[in-house]
Amino acid sequence: MTTEAITQVQTAPAQHRKRRNWGDGPVHVVLLVIGLIIALPVVIAFFMSFTPLREILSQGAAPEILPNTWTMENYDKAWTASPFPRYMLNSIIQTGVITIAQVVFSVLAGFAFAMFEFRGKNALFALVIGSLIIPFELTFIPNFVLISDLGWANTYAGLTVPFLASAFGVFMMRQFFLTIPRDLYDAAKIDGASDWYYLWRIMVPLSKGAISAFTIFAFLSAWNQFLWPLVITNEESMRTAQIGIRFFLVNQERATDWGAIMAGTVIVMVPTLIIFLFAQKQLVKGIAASGLKG
Amino acid sequence: MVAETAEQTAKTRSRKRYKRGSSKAYLFLFPTFLVLFVFVYYPIIESFRLSRNRVAPFGGQEIGVGFENYTRLLQNSDFWDTVKVSLWFMVGTVPIGIGLAVIIALLLSYPLKRLNWFYRTLIFLPVVISSAIAGVLFRLLYNPVVGFFNYWLGLIGIDGPNWLADRSWALVAVTIAVVWRQLGFNVIIALAGIQNIDSQLYEAAKIDGAGTFARIRYITLPQLSPTLFFLAIINVIISLQAFGEINILTDGGPGRATTNLVYQVFVDGFVGTHFLGRASAQAFLLAVMVVAISFIQFRGLGKRVHYQ
């Protein structure tokens, strides 16, 4: 099923005409080599996470990619020797709250910009677009001061509240809603549907593709955040997975326990890799949207 | 209801909706704008105010010092070193990152009958990798004891440097990691751009007898110029803001060899004592730099971009 879906997108219109005289052989070889080189860091991490520490160290200067004997001891160590379960829980809460809020608020605001006429509409929309080009370094120090003054350092509120809205999401939703025929709205109104009903019962189901593309985009951005959770948490119990792996690296590297470090790395990557493998279509769509319209 | 529909000419319609939707619209917009105002727009003003203060550590007292933070920075050679690191890093990552992405996207646009999805999966992979994870993965690859890079280099007879501990190689090492992490995104954007090119142009060139490289040179690249322009802008911004890989791979070192402006802002503002005034001033100068370079790109490259 999934493979089919992926194949479908990925063999989407290719523009070059076929050059039959050469055959496809060379292109296959070149793409395979490039693909393997690019995927290699992740592949190495995956196999090393199952390699016993003895083996890693004994190989020394001639490291091998595949383990000779497979072990789960690295995962045991990563999961128990550090608060990894807690890091993952924190990341799940932080990412979940940010993603849900960004999607819901973007749908609401996108709907308002697409369907309503109101005073200051153009100015407000300009403010949305304007916030897209503001570099984060202009905002993150005052935000740090504000969140600290509110007493929200080392809390889920501190991790999430500054990111509950997304200008990109508002823009993407508005653009998509504008492609849905206005007549549908007028017809629903005649039938006595409220705006609220129309939005959630008609507009949202029609926009599933765009909404899921943005949802995945929002999830990835939130899960992969680094600088903000690094500065706003200093208690171990409030670290997110990305910050956790950073400190886990610092601790375990002294013990040269690379197997455990790679096990931790794989744990942190798993949610994003699952999305990558099973929702690649929406992911690529979301990213391409940021490029083609941005 | 019926009467209302009947009189719906274009103008009365919009006026009606203006009245009806008005207050409701603000309700729908409220959550988004609350967040944008508190955490994006207000902080810009606050950031500029902070930068003109000397802020006592831990957010205590603030003393207005005008532009002293700025004048001190501009006279400080350490500051200019961080600017140099930022610019070298940009020069190292942007052209290589975009060049590689375009070559790979051209290959991926070749109409293979099978395995297309497989190559794309391998090549797009870095797009889901965070800067922290990229840092950890490359820290392993660069490791002098168990790392793979120098082992492979050794296989082809090259004695690899001590990547992260060598002043002259550390920035190169960070550059490679960031180019890798950014590659998935760049290829996706470039490929989307290539697939948007009107296939009739290729048909016409085919009739005129243009070969593969002629088609790339005279059709693909000019048609792709808006995409390349977008990639140039985005990649410059991303390179000037690189932080995660530096934090994990080198911690700004050895010495200050990989301390770019963002990293210095982090060190001044958040490591040990919080010098928030000075950090804000540097953040402001960094933002000015980002905007200025984007502006130069718009003036310089923007003219040469070919729009259909």
PDB file of all heavy atoms in Angstrom, chain B residues 105-134:
ATOM      1  N   ALA B 105      19.293  16.474  -8.546  1.00  0.00           N
ATOM      2  CA  ALA B 105      17.902  16.614  -8.988  1.00  0.00           C
ATOM      3  C   ALA B 105      17.791  16.337 -10.493  1.00  0.00           C
ATOM      4  O   ALA B 105      16.821  15.722 -10.943  1.00  0.00           O
ATOM      5  CB  ALA B 105      17.375  18.008  -8.670  1.00  0.00           C
ATOM      6  N   LEU B 106      18.792  16.769 -11.265  1.00  0.00           N
ATOM      7  CA  LEU B 106      18.770  16.475 -12.702  1.00  0.00           C
ATOM      8  C   LEU B 106      18.797  14.973 -12.946  1.00  0.00           C
ATOM      9  O   LEU B 106      18.060  14.443 -13.776  1.00  0.00           O
ATOM     10  CB  LEU B 106      19.970  17.135 -13.402  1.00  0.00           C
ATOM     11  CG  LEU B 106      19.860  18.638 -13.651  1.00  0.00           C
ATOM     12  CD1 LEU B 106      21.188  19.209 -14.133  1.00  0.00           C
ATOM     13  CD2 LEU B 106      18.767  18.922 -14.679  1.00  0.00           C
ATOM     14  N   LEU B 107      19.659  14.285 -12.187  1.00  0.00           N
ATOM     15  CA  LEU B 107      19.720  12.824 -12.325  1.00  0.00           C
ATOM     16  C   LEU B 107      18.393  12.187 -11.935  1.00  0.00           C
ATOM     17  O   LEU B 107      17.899  11.274 -12.596  1.00  0.00           O
ATOM     18  CB  LEU B 107      20.841  12.263 -11.448  1.00  0.00           C
ATOM     19  CG  LEU B 107      22.261  12.484 -11.960  1.00  0.00           C
ATOM     20  CD1 LEU B 107      23.274  12.271 -10.843  1.00  0.00           C
ATOM     21  CD2 LEU B 107      22.551  11.543 -13.128  1.00  0.00           C
ATOM     22  N   LEU B 108      17.795  12.679 -10.848  1.00  0.00           N
ATOM     23  CA  LEU B 108      16.533  12.096 -10.373  1.00  0.00           C
ATOM     24  C   LEU B 108      15.384  12.372 -11.333  1.00  0.00           C
ATOM     25  O   LEU B 108      14.380  11.667 -11.330  1.00  0.00           O
ATOM     26  CB  LEU B 108      16.181  12.658  -8.993  1.00  0.00           C
ATOM     27  CG  LEU B 108      16.893  12.041  -7.791  1.00  0.00           C
ATOM     28  CD1 LEU B 108      16.492  12.773  -6.527  1.00  0.00           C
ATOM     29  CD2 LEU B 108      16.555  10.562  -7.663  1.00  0.00           C
ATOM     30  N   SER B 109      15.509  13.417 -12.146  1.00  0.00           N
ATOM     31  CA  SER B 109      14.415  13.734 -13.070  1.00  0.00           C
ATOM     32  C   SER B 109      14.477  12.847 -14.308  1.00  0.00           C
ATOM     33  O   SER B 109      13.584  12.880 -15.152  1.00  0.00           O
ATOM     34  CB  SER B 109      14.477  15.210 -13.469  1.00  0.00           C
ATOM     35  OG  SER B 109      15.579  15.444 -14.313  1.00  0.00           O
ATOM     36  N   TYR B 110      15.526  12.049 -14.426  1.00  0.00           N
ATOM     37  CA  TYR B 110      15.619  11.116 -15.548  1.00  0.00           C
ATOM     38  C   TYR B 110      14.515  10.066 -15.397  1.00  0.00           C
ATOM     39  O   TYR B 110      14.336   9.492 -14.331  1.00  0.00           O
ATOM     40  CB  TYR B 110      16.998  10.451 -15.538  1.00  0.00           C
ATOM     41  CG  TYR B 110      17.286   9.621 -16.762  1.00  0.00           C
ATOM     42  CD1 TYR B 110      17.927  10.188 -17.862  1.00  0.00           C
ATOM     43  CD2 TYR B 110      16.898   8.286 -16.825  1.00  0.00           C
ATOM     44  CE1 TYR B 110      18.184   9.439 -18.987  1.00  0.00           C
ATOM     45  CE2 TYR B 110      17.150   7.529 -17.956  1.00  0.00           C
ATOM     46  CZ  TYR B 110      17.792   8.109 -19.036  1.00  0.00           C
ATOM     47  OH  TYR B 110      18.043   7.372 -20.146  1.00  0.00           O
ATOM     48  N   PRO B 111      13.771   9.812 -16.481  1.00  0.00           N
ATOM     49  CA  PRO B 111      12.600   8.930 -16.345  1.00  0.00           C
ATOM     50  C   PRO B 111      12.962   7.441 -16.274  1.00  0.00           C
ATOM     51  O   PRO B 111      12.836   6.722 -17.249  1.00  0.00           O
ATOM     52  CB  PRO B 111      11.802   9.229 -17.621  1.00  0.00           C
ATOM     53  CG  PRO B 111      12.815   9.669 -18.610  1.00  0.00           C
ATOM     54  CD  PRO B 111      13.920  10.340 -17.847  1.00  0.00           C
ATOM     55  N   LEU B 112      13.397   7.002 -15.115  1.00  0.00           N
ATOM     56  CA  LEU B 112      13.705   5.585 -14.935  1.00  0.00           C
ATOM     57  C   LEU B 112      12.413   4.791 -14.821  1.00  0.00           C
ATOM     58  O   LEU B 112      11.434   5.280 -14.268  1.00  0.00           O
ATOM     59  CB  LEU B 112      14.538   5.384 -13.665  1.00  0.00           C
ATOM     60  CG  LEU B 112      15.952   5.945 -13.688  1.00  0.00           C
ATOM     61  CD1 LEU B 112      16.568   5.837 -12.311  1.00  0.00           C
ATOM     62  CD2 LEU B 112      16.799   5.234 -14.722  1.00  0.00           C
ATOM     63  N   LYS B 113      12.440   3.568 -15.307  1.00  0.00           N
ATOM     64  CA  LYS B 113      11.215   2.766 -15.250  1.00  0.00           C
ATOM     65  C   LYS B 113      11.016   2.188 -13.851  1.00  0.00           C
ATOM     66  O   LYS B 113       9.925   2.037 -13.381  1.00  0.00           O
ATOM     67  CB  LYS B 113      11.249   1.665 -16.294  1.00  0.00           C
ATOM     68  CG  LYS B 113      10.870   2.182 -17.669  1.00  0.00           C
ATOM     69  CD  LYS B 113      10.713   1.040 -18.665  1.00  0.00           C
ATOM     70  CE  LYS B 113      11.071   1.477 -20.064  1.00  0.00           C
ATOM     71  NZ  LYS B 113      12.523   1.631 -20.292  1.00  0.00           N
ATOM     72  N   ARG B 114      12.098   1.809 -13.198  1.00  0.00           N
ATOM     73  CA  ARG B 114      11.913   1.289 -11.843  1.00  0.00           C
ATOM     74  C   ARG B 114      12.977   1.826 -10.871  1.00  0.00           C
ATOM     75  O   ARG B 114      13.923   2.487 -11.301  1.00  0.00           O
ATOM     76  CB  ARG B 114      11.900  -0.235 -11.832  1.00  0.00           C
ATOM     77  CG  ARG B 114      13.020  -0.920 -12.530  1.00  0.00           C
ATOM     78  CD  ARG B 114      12.796  -2.429 -12.565  1.00  0.00           C
ATOM     79  NE  ARG B 114      12.097  -2.873 -13.756  1.00  0.00           N
ATOM     80  CZ  ARG B 114      12.699  -3.054 -14.940  1.00  0.00           C
ATOM     81  NH1 ARG B 114      13.972  -2.791 -15.080  1.00  0.00           N
ATOM     82  NH2 ARG B 114      12.020  -3.470 -15.983  1.00  0.00           N
ATOM     83  N   LEU B 115      12.743   1.580  -9.607  1.00  0.00           N
ATOM     84  CA  LEU B 115      13.649   1.941  -8.519  1.00  0.00           C
ATOM     85  C   LEU B 115      13.743   3.437  -8.249  1.00  0.00           C
ATOM     86  O   LEU B 115      14.488   3.885  -7.392  1.00  0.00           O
ATOM     87  CB  LEU B 115      15.066   1.397  -8.780  1.00  0.00           C
ATOM     88  CG  LEU B 115      15.216  -0.116  -8.598  1.00  0.00           C
ATOM     89  CD1 LEU B 115      16.617  -0.542  -8.954  1.00  0.00           C
ATOM     90  CD2 LEU B 115      14.890  -0.501  -7.161  1.00  0.00           C
ATOM     91  N   ASN B 116      12.956   4.221  -8.993  1.00  0.00           N
ATOM     92  CA  ASN B 116      12.958   5.661  -8.783  1.00  0.00           C
ATOM     93  C   ASN B 116      12.690   6.030  -7.331  1.00  0.00           C
ATOM     94  O   ASN B 116      13.388   6.841  -6.725  1.00  0.00           O
ATOM     95  CB  ASN B 116      11.860   6.265  -9.653  1.00  0.00           C
ATOM     96  CG  ASN B 116      12.365   7.473 -10.383  1.00  0.00           C
ATOM     97  OD1 ASN B 116      13.046   8.290  -9.777  1.00  0.00           O
ATOM     98  ND2 ASN B 116      12.076   7.576 -11.655  1.00  0.00           N
ATOM     99  N   TRP B 117      11.645   5.395  -6.750  1.00  0.00           N
ATOM    100  CA  TRP B 117      11.251   5.692  -5.370  1.00  0.00           C
ATOM    101  C   TRP B 117      12.392   5.349  -4.418  1.00  0.00           C
ATOM    102  O   TRP B 117      12.586   6.017  -3.409  1.00  0.00           O
ATOM    103  CB  TRP B 117      10.006   4.894  -4.997  1.00  0.00           C
ATOM    104  CG  TRP B 117      10.233   3.408  -5.013  1.00  0.00           C
ATOM    105  CD1 TRP B 117      10.104   2.583  -6.085  1.00  0.00           C
ATOM    106  CD2 TRP B 117      10.681   2.604  -3.927  1.00  0.00           C
ATOM    107  NE1 TRP B 117      10.438   1.308  -5.736  1.00  0.00           N
ATOM    108  CE2 TRP B 117      10.796   1.271  -4.420  1.00  0.00           C
ATOM    109  CE3 TRP B 117      10.981   2.858  -2.585  1.00  0.00           C
ATOM    110  CZ2 TRP B 117      11.217   0.215  -3.610  1.00  0.00           C
ATOM    111  CZ3 TRP B 117      11.400   1.799  -1.787  1.00  0.00           C
ATOM    112  CH2 TRP B 117      11.517   0.490  -2.307  1.00  0.00           C
ATOM    113  N   PHE B 118      13.140   4.299  -4.751  1.00  0.00           N
ATOM    114  CA  PHE B 118      14.209   3.847  -3.864  1.00  0.00           C
ATOM    115  C   PHE B 118      15.326   4.894  -3.804  1.00  0.00           C
ATOM    116  O   PHE B 118      15.773   5.300  -2.723  1.00  0.00           O
ATOM    117  CB  PHE B 118      14.750   2.506  -4.375  1.00  0.00           C
ATOM    118  CG  PHE B 118      15.916   1.981  -3.598  1.00  0.00           C
ATOM    119  CD1 PHE B 118      15.764   1.590  -2.273  1.00  0.00           C
ATOM    120  CD2 PHE B 118      17.170   1.879  -4.185  1.00  0.00           C
ATOM    121  CE1 PHE B 118      16.839   1.106  -1.553  1.00  0.00           C
ATOM    122  CE2 PHE B 118      18.250   1.385  -3.470  1.00  0.00           C
ATOM    123  CZ  PHE B 118      18.081   1.004  -2.155  1.00  0.00           C
ATOM    124  N   TYR B 119      15.751   5.389  -4.954  1.00  0.00           N
ATOM    125  CA  TYR B 119      16.806   6.416  -4.960  1.00  0.00           C
ATOM    126  C   TYR B 119      16.342   7.682  -4.250  1.00  0.00           C
ATOM    127  O   TYR B 119      17.091   8.326  -3.521  1.00  0.00           O
ATOM    128  CB  TYR B 119      17.224   6.745  -6.395  1.00  0.00           C
ATOM    129  CG  TYR B 119      17.719   5.535  -7.155  1.00  0.00           C
ATOM    130  CD1 TYR B 119      17.310   5.281  -8.462  1.00  0.00           C
ATOM    131  CD2 TYR B 119      18.598   4.639  -6.557  1.00  0.00           C
ATOM    132  CE1 TYR B 119      17.759   4.160  -9.158  1.00  0.00           C
ATOM    133  CE2 TYR B 119      19.053   3.517  -7.242  1.00  0.00           C
ATOM    134  CZ  TYR B 119      18.627   3.280  -8.530  1.00  0.00           C
ATOM    135  OH  TYR B 119      19.070   2.189  -9.196  1.00  0.00           O
ATOM    136  N   ARG B 120      15.083   8.033  -4.502  1.00  0.00           N
ATOM    137  CA  ARG B 120      14.567   9.250  -3.843  1.00  0.00           C
ATOM    138  C   ARG B 120      14.541   9.100  -2.332  1.00  0.00           C
ATOM    139  O   ARG B 120      14.870  10.023  -1.598  1.00  0.00           O
ATOM    140  CB  ARG B 120      13.179   9.583  -4.368  1.00  0.00           C
ATOM    141  CG  ARG B 120      13.302  10.215  -5.724  1.00  0.00           C
ATOM    142  CD  ARG B 120      11.991  10.447  -6.407  1.00  0.00           C
ATOM    143  NE  ARG B 120      12.276  10.525  -7.838  1.00  0.00           N
ATOM    144  CZ  ARG B 120      11.678  11.355  -8.661  1.00  0.00           C
ATOM    145  NH1 ARG B 120      10.740  12.141  -8.224  1.00  0.00           N
ATOM    146  NH2 ARG B 120      12.024  11.386  -9.926  1.00  0.00           N
ATOM    147  N   THR B 121      14.163   7.913  -1.873  1.00  0.00           N
ATOM    148  CA  THR B 121      14.124   7.697  -0.420  1.00  0.00           C
ATOM    149  C   THR B 121      15.520   7.857   0.184  1.00  0.00           C
ATOM    150  O   THR B 121      15.685   8.526   1.201  1.00  0.00           O
ATOM    151  CB  THR B 121      13.557   6.298  -0.113  1.00  0.00           C
ATOM    152  OG1 THR B 121      12.246   6.224  -0.663  1.00  0.00           O
ATOM    153  CG2 THR B 121      13.489   6.051   1.371  1.00  0.00           C
ATOM    154  N   LEU B 122      16.521   7.274  -0.459  1.00  0.00           N
ATOM    155  CA  LEU B 122      17.884   7.409   0.056  1.00  0.00           C
ATOM    156  C   LEU B 122      18.337   8.868   0.047  1.00  0.00           C
ATOM    157  O   LEU B 122      18.933   9.357   1.003  1.00  0.00           O
ATOM    158  CB  LEU B 122      18.862   6.576  -0.791  1.00  0.00           C
ATOM    159  CG  LEU B 122      18.743   5.053  -0.719  1.00  0.00           C
ATOM    160  CD1 LEU B 122      19.758   4.407  -1.655  1.00  0.00           C
ATOM    161  CD2 LEU B 122      18.972   4.569   0.705  1.00  0.00           C
ATOM    162  N   ILE B 123      18.038   9.558  -1.063  1.00  0.00           N
ATOM    163  CA  ILE B 123      18.592  10.902  -1.247  1.00  0.00           C
ATOM    164  C   ILE B 123      17.839  11.959  -0.438  1.00  0.00           C
ATOM    165  O   ILE B 123      18.443  12.905   0.079  1.00  0.00           O
ATOM    166  CB  ILE B 123      18.620  11.252  -2.751  1.00  0.00           C
ATOM    167  CG1 ILE B 123      19.694  10.394  -3.444  1.00  0.00           C
ATOM    168  CG2 ILE B 123      18.892  12.731  -2.975  1.00  0.00           C
ATOM    169  CD1 ILE B 123      19.645  10.417  -4.944  1.00  0.00           C
ATOM    170  N   PHE B 124      16.514  11.778  -0.277  1.00  0.00           N
ATOM    171  CA  PHE B 124      15.745  12.762   0.508  1.00  0.00           C
ATOM    172  C   PHE B 124      15.980  12.612   2.007  1.00  0.00           C
ATOM    173  O   PHE B 124      15.637  13.488   2.790  1.00  0.00           O
ATOM    174  CB  PHE B 124      14.239  12.613   0.254  1.00  0.00           C
ATOM    175  CG  PHE B 124      13.782  12.991  -1.125  1.00  0.00           C
ATOM    176  CD1 PHE B 124      12.497  12.688  -1.564  1.00  0.00           C
ATOM    177  CD2 PHE B 124      14.623  13.671  -2.002  1.00  0.00           C
ATOM    178  CE1 PHE B 124      12.064  13.036  -2.834  1.00  0.00           C
ATOM    179  CE2 PHE B 124      14.193  14.019  -3.281  1.00  0.00           C
ATOM    180  CZ  PHE B 124      12.903  13.703  -3.691  1.00  0.00           C
ATOM    181  N   LEU B 125      16.515  11.466   2.422  1.00  0.00           N
ATOM    182  CA  LEU B 125      16.595  11.111   3.842  1.00  0.00           C
ATOM    183  C   LEU B 125      17.038  12.236   4.791  1.00  0.00           C
ATOM    184  O   LEU B 125      16.409  12.449   5.825  1.00  0.00           O
ATOM    185  CB  LEU B 125      17.496   9.876   4.005  1.00  0.00           C
ATOM    186  CG  LEU B 125      17.696   9.347   5.421  1.00  0.00           C
ATOM    187  CD1 LEU B 125      16.373   8.888   6.002  1.00  0.00           C
ATOM    188  CD2 LEU B 125      18.676   8.169   5.415  1.00  0.00           C
ATOM    189  N   PRO B 126      18.122  12.988   4.473  1.00  0.00           N
ATOM    190  CA  PRO B 126      18.557  13.994   5.458  1.00  0.00           C
ATOM    191  C   PRO B 126      17.504  15.039   5.802  1.00  0.00           C
ATOM    192  O   PRO B 126      17.649  15.751   6.788  1.00  0.00           O
ATOM    193  CB  PRO B 126      19.758  14.662   4.773  1.00  0.00           C
ATOM    194  CG  PRO B 126      20.223  13.694   3.757  1.00  0.00           C
ATOM    195  CD  PRO B 126      19.012  12.938   3.305  1.00  0.00           C
ATOM    196  N   VAL B 127      16.438  15.127   5.003  1.00  0.00           N
ATOM    197  CA  VAL B 127      15.459  16.187   5.248  1.00  0.00           C
ATOM    198  C   VAL B 127      14.783  16.035   6.617  1.00  0.00           C
ATOM    199  O   VAL B 127      14.308  17.013   7.194  1.00  0.00           O
ATOM    200  CB  VAL B 127      14.415  16.228   4.107  1.00  0.00           C
ATOM    201  CG1 VAL B 127      13.281  15.254   4.328  1.00  0.00           C
ATOM    202  CG2 VAL B 127      13.870  17.631   3.962  1.00  0.00           C
ATOM    203  N   VAL B 128      14.736  14.813   7.162  1.00  0.00           N
ATOM    204  CA  VAL B 128      14.093  14.660   8.473  1.00  0.00           C
ATOM    205  C   VAL B 128      15.104  14.680   9.622  1.00  0.00           C
ATOM    206  O   VAL B 128      14.730  14.528  10.780  1.00  0.00           O
ATOM    207  CB  VAL B 128      13.251  13.360   8.572  1.00  0.00           C
ATOM    208  CG1 VAL B 128      12.100  13.399   7.585  1.00  0.00           C
ATOM    209  CG2 VAL B 128      14.110  12.127   8.362  1.00  0.00           C
ATOM    210  N   ILE B 129      16.388  14.844   9.306  1.00  0.00           N
ATOM    211  CA  ILE B 129      17.415  14.792  10.344  1.00  0.00           C
ATOM    212  C   ILE B 129      17.574  16.179  10.973  1.00  0.00           C
ATOM    213  O   ILE B 129      17.696  17.179  10.276  1.00  0.00           O
ATOM    214  CB  ILE B 129      18.765  14.344   9.748  1.00  0.00           C
ATOM    215  CG1 ILE B 129      18.608  13.018   8.989  1.00  0.00           C
ATOM    216  CG2 ILE B 129      19.826  14.246  10.830  1.00  0.00           C
ATOM    217  CD1 ILE B 129      18.263  11.838   9.849  1.00  0.00           C
ATOM    218  N   SER B 130      17.584  16.218  12.307  1.00  0.00           N
ATOM    219  CA  SER B 130      17.744  17.499  12.999  1.00  0.00           C
ATOM    220  C   SER B 130      19.210  17.897  13.020  1.00  0.00           C
ATOM    221  O   SER B 130      20.097  17.070  12.762  1.00  0.00           O
ATOM    222  CB  SER B 130      17.254  17.368  14.434  1.00  0.00           C
ATOM    223  OG  SER B 130      18.121  16.506  15.146  1.00  0.00           O
ATOM    224  N   SER B 131      19.458  19.158  13.349  1.00  0.00           N
ATOM    225  CA  SER B 131      20.843  19.610  13.419  1.00  0.00           C
ATOM    226  C   SER B 131      21.589  18.882  14.543  1.00  0.00           C
ATOM    227  O   SER B 131      22.779  18.585  14.425  1.00  0.00           O
ATOM    228  CB  SER B 131      20.911  21.125  13.615  1.00  0.00           C
ATOM    229  OG  SER B 131      20.170  21.500  14.748  1.00  0.00           O
ATOM    230  N   ALA B 132      20.870  18.562  15.626  1.00  0.00           N
ATOM    231  CA  ALA B 132      21.521  17.853  16.730  1.00  0.00           C
ATOM    232  C   ALA B 132      21.947  16.454  16.299  1.00  0.00           C
ATOM    233  O   ALA B 132      23.081  16.023  16.556  1.00  0.00           O
ATOM    234  CB  ALA B 132      20.578  17.770  17.933  1.00  0.00           C
ATOM    235  N   ILE B 133      21.042  15.739  15.639  1.00  0.00           N
ATOM    236  CA  ILE B 133      21.361  14.385  15.195  1.00  0.00           C
ATOM    237  C   ILE B 133      22.480  14.423  14.148  1.00  0.00           C
ATOM    238  O   ILE B 133      23.411  13.607  14.180  1.00  0.00           O
ATOM    239  CB  ILE B 133      20.102  13.691  14.623  1.00  0.00           C
ATOM    240  CG1 ILE B 133      19.067  13.486  15.727  1.00  0.00           C
ATOM    241  CG2 ILE B 133      20.459  12.360  13.984  1.00  0.00           C
ATOM    242  CD1 ILE B 133      19.490  12.524  16.810  1.00  0.00           C
ATOM    243  N   ALA B 134      22.420  15.381  13.223  1.00  0.00           N
ATOM    244  CA  ALA B 134      23.493  15.506  12.235  1.00  0.00           C
ATOM    245  C   ALA B 134      24.823  15.698  12.956  1.00  0.00           C
ATOM    246  O   ALA B 134      25.842  15.094  12.588  1.00  0.00           O
ATOM    247  CB  ALA B 134      23.217  16.675  11.285  1.00  0.00           C
TER     248      ALA B 134
END
